[in-house]
Amino acid sequence: MKFYQTQLRLPEFSQGCYLITDRVLAAIPEVKRFRTGMLQVFIQHTSASLTINENADPDVPRDLAELQNHWAPEVFPYAHTLEGRDDMPAHGKASLMGASVMIPVGDGALLLGTWQGIYLCEHRYHGGRRNLIITVWGEEK
């Protein structure tokens, strides 16, 4: 079994959901070496998240962001308010969405469904640059 790992530092995004599949693949070209395996993408932050969802319709990321705002609204009696009104809702959204995604690898490619892509969901208005740890492992070709 072989392992490869890298860090991807993303640019700052405003609040919303962003398709990052191509950035992930560009950061770890070793995926092409695997006959079978797994790819994990992990975000090192507590106010942004990762998810897999539809990558074809531009309404999907907008609707995902709106849905998240209903799950964790800014107007709520939060106790943790020192870092701004978007901070605690961002932590809640990140907990609901998750900090990592796992994707099977086969014949040198991610085995995502036809309409699936990897999204970064930025939950802060100005969250800053985000760090991802990307690991691929399995049996090489």
Side-chain angles (χ1 to χ4, degrees), residues 6 100 120 125:
T6 191
S100 68
L120 165 78
Y125 292 124

Side-chain angles (χ1 to χ4, degrees), residues 33-50:
R33 297 181 186 177
F34 287 88
R35 187 174 66 79
T36 60
M38 293 297 293
L39 178 108
Q40 181 191 40
V41 185
F42 175 79
I43 189 164
Q44 295 182 304
H45 303 277
T46 60
S47 56
S49 59
L50 298 170

Side-chain angles (χ1 to χ4, degrees), residues 25 28-39 103-112 136 141:
L25 286 171
I28 194 152
E30 293 87 356
V31 165
K32 294 178 182 141
R33 297 181 186 177
F34 287 88
R35 187 174 66 79
T36 60
M38 293 297 293
L39 178 108
I103 303 154
V105 175
D107 293 324
L110 299 183
L111 296 178
L112 290 165
V136 62
K141 294 179 185 179

Side-chain angles (χ1 to χ4, degrees), residues 40-87:
Q40 181 191 40
V41 185
F42 175 79
I43 189 164
Q44 295 182 304
H45 303 277
T46 60
S47 56
S49 59
L50 298 170
T51 192
I52 294 174
N53 216 300
E54 182 181 325
N55 66 0
D57 186 340
D59 289 337
V60 170
R62 187 190 74 227
D63 288 348
L64 281 173
E66 284 301 314
L67 183 61
Q68 293 166 29
N69 289 332
H70 288 283
W71 295 341
E74 284 188 13
V75 179
F76 189 82
Y78 298 112
H80 176 73
T81 59
L82 294 176
E83 296 179 49
R85 61 185 265 179
D86 67 334
D87 187 46

